[in-house]
Amino acid sequence: MALIKEDSQFTRDAVAKQGVKYQDIMKTVKTLREKNGGVISRSAENMYDALLKYGIDFTEQAKNGKLDPVIGRGA
């Protein structure tokens, strides 16, 4: 979903060329979630935010000067 919404390099344009809108895909995803029944796990909804929870935003860290310099590369 993030690629379809944010990727200006390829995905967003490729999907748009097919005449598909982000809202249509989101509606389909919601329909599939409803169709597949209730949530089995107590924490299943939290799994949708796994990237935010377990990922590292290197761009944000670089903006804040929190990344170690790369060995052999000049500033």
Side-chain angles (χ1 to χ4, degrees):
M1 295 302 300
L3 283 173
I4 294 166
K5 187 174 183 181
E6 303 292 334
D7 178 34
S8 61
Q9 297 290 320
F10 175 75
T11 311
R12 185 173 50 187
D13 294 336
V15 171
K17 285 180 184 178
Q18 298 297 319
V20 179
K21 296 179 183 176
Y22 176 80
Q23 293 83 3
D24 297 334
I25 295 172
M26 189 62 152
K27 189 186 312 182
T28 302
V29 169
K30 287 181 181 181
T31 301
L32 288 172
R33 286 181 181 173
E34 291 170 3
K35 181 180 177 183
N36 290 329
V39 175
I40 297 170
S41 169
R42 290 182 185 170
S43 63
E45 192 63 35
N46 294 335
M47 295 171 81
Y48 294 122
D49 296 325
L51 186 58
L52 294 174
K53 185 175 179 180
Y54 299 109
I56 297 171
D57 187 345
F58 287 111
T59 304
E60 188 65 30
Q61 286 189 355
K63 286 179 184 177
N64 295 329
K66 294 182 179 181
L67 291 180
D68 291 334
V70 176
I71 297 172
R73 183 187 293 181

